[in-house]
Amino acid sequence: MGAAWETSRRTVLRGGVALAALAATAGTAFAKPAGRRLPFLLDMVQNNPGEPLFSSRFNDPATLKSYGYDGQVINEFIPPQTAITFDSFDQRIFPAGSEGRAWVEAAAKKIDAHIARAHAAGIAAYIFTDIIVLPKRLVELYGEQILDSKGRISFDRPLTQQIHRLMLSEICARFPGLDGIVVRTGETYVQNVPFHTGNNPITNGAASHLTLLGILRDEMCVRANKRVFYRTWSTGSDKLTSDPDFYRQVTDQVETHEKLVFSIKHTEKDFWRTIPFNRTIGVGKHRQIIEVECQREYEGKGAFPNYVIDGVVNGFEEFRTPSRTGPIGLAEVVDNPIIAGIWTWSRGGGWRGPYLQNELWCDLNTWVIARWTRDTSLGEEGAFTEYATTRLGLRGEQVRRFRRLALLSAAAVLRGHYSVVHPMGRLMWTRDQFLGGSDKDLTSDYAAIVAKGRVEPVLAEKALAARMWDEIVALSGTIPLRDHADRTYLRVSARYGQSWHRVVHHGWEVMLRGYAGDQNGRYDKAAMRYHLARYDAEWQRWQRLAKTEPSCATLYQPYSFGPKGPDGLYNADPDHGIKPATDHYRKLLSS
């Protein structure tokens, strides 16, 4: 082996001490909250756009009721305005006997059934609603009056506003039992609605938000007495997502209403680690619910252990520093009276796979945050212990081993998917079922790592993450979960996580060392050959796991995420990713 590789290996062998210290400190809260029962506890299964619906226990409102939930957010990317005829506006849009009208009426019956099931279980029914989504025929008929100069449906046009008022009124008339809607702006998915089109309504900054909020408040909250949860999540330059000053600029101009609640992700951007706690939480005068994703698309999607609720409540490890200046977790803001609840995404987020056969890790995250929401005096660890004892049937040392496994999973994901040594700029280098490489996704980060002389520490960190999974696998064999299927999946998913992190460790050893050689002309070929062989062997081991264990989630693809196909869905990029990148250096080593 080369000298550089030996240095890296010795660093990792010393990692056992660091690992023990990490496990001892993980899970420590900085402030014990006063006990509260937050008013709202909602859950959503976010199905993949354009794909078959998930089969999940969380689709059943009776399950949600048993977990303490009082509301279900139904999200099949068929918003309620796609299930009305718009007859109150223009009967030419969906004329009687047309294919479009038949589709609309069938969609309406599905929403009726969702509302009935939720109410039968004793919880409220809310529909996830993208705005703007309107019938294609409506846009064809009235485009000159509702489109701006860029061809976007615009709230700056008076007719667009009038249409939305009529649309909301027709929704309430068609679905009188609907308890309210959850409104998303910024992203508009129309893969599941063949007769509709749409776009982001925020074309004019704060003015667009204020126009839409005024219409929603008037038509839904005041006139129809139904709830509106207005999401601040958006994409691009919309600052409502995380800028406290902009959030106040918009929301302070909106009169409060008991039925109007703002919904905010607990992170300042998407559901990534290393992204700070959202500074708009607890700001302003309107009530807020906080969004928590329990099947995180950047971190395995439940294919392997990834316990996030300790970090969500108490603050993630990377923010537990003496220099922090604000809240890092929900425990530190929950006493604020405008914090009104939690909205979990028990399943879903992102696109494609991995596809699960078992929901153990989604269930852990969902149940614990739900229990904490209903009694915050428990603390995160108290809620976790209840899950381990009441749901899994563990006792004493078994509970402690299960908690160590859960906390280790969070520490390993931080080091394997992200980095403590080098804060990653390209957090999307891996997401959903895709693994990027040095040929595109990791280029800018690798350039910075090489320039700052951090190659060895970064690779040692990836090796440490893999070592953590060795302990997770060992622990998984000592925890006798009561349910046989969960017990099997605990062990299978731990091995899945071990293979993922080994593939990443050895792949990075090849790619990062190769990239460094590209810059200086000196390649540590001995180390690269060694890790390339280990990389190949681990892929084979991972594939055997999937073939021999029926509960195993589908595997990752060794290619980059994207681009979108003709069907509007994201696919693998066959020209980029960890496989094309390592194959590039395979050719170099064989020449």
Side-chain angles (χ1 to χ4, degrees), residues 61 237 277 292 294 390 494 554 567:
S237 60
F277 191 71
V292 178
C294 299
T390 62
T554 59
D567 57 0

Side-chain angles (χ1 to χ4, degrees), residues 451-574:
K452 295 176 181 178
R454 293 176 177 171
V455 170
E456 297 305 327
V458 164
L459 293 177
E461 181 182 48
K462 290 290 178 280
L464 178 56
R467 281 173 53 84
M468 289 178 172
W469 283 96
D470 294 342
E471 181 174 351
I472 289 171
V473 169
L475 284 168
S476 71
T478 69
I479 302 170
L481 304 190
R482 178 166 50 209
D483 183 85
H484 176 75
D486 286 346
R487 190 185 324 143
T488 299
Y489 187 65
L490 168 63
R491 298 168 185 175
V492 170
S493 62
R495 290 165 59 195
Y496 188 113
Q498 181 186 53
S499 285
W500 192 100
H501 287 79
R502 285 179 177 178
V503 161
V504 167
H505 166 221
H506 297 303
W508 274 51
E509 290 271 6
V510 174
M511 295 187 298
L512 183 51
R513 292 190 188 282
Y515 184 90
D518 293 341
Q519 311 311 305
N520 59 30
R522 299 187 300 274
Y523 296 92
D524 189 344
K525 291 188 176 181
M528 291 173 68
R529 287 192 181 99
Y530 172 82
H531 286 289
L532 185 59
R534 296 290 299 272
Y535 169 86
D536 290 340
E538 198 56 47
W539 267 111
Q540 294 174 7
R541 181 174 178 271
W542 199 4
Q543 290 165 342
R544 287 196 299 271
L545 178 70
K547 290 178 181 177
T548 58
E549 294 291 349
S551 68
C552 184
T554 59
L555 298 188
Y556 274 65
Q557 298 179 18
Y559 300 103
S560 295
F561 172 80
K564 270 188 178 181
D567 57 0
L569 306 183
Y570 286 97
N571 301 298
D573 177 354

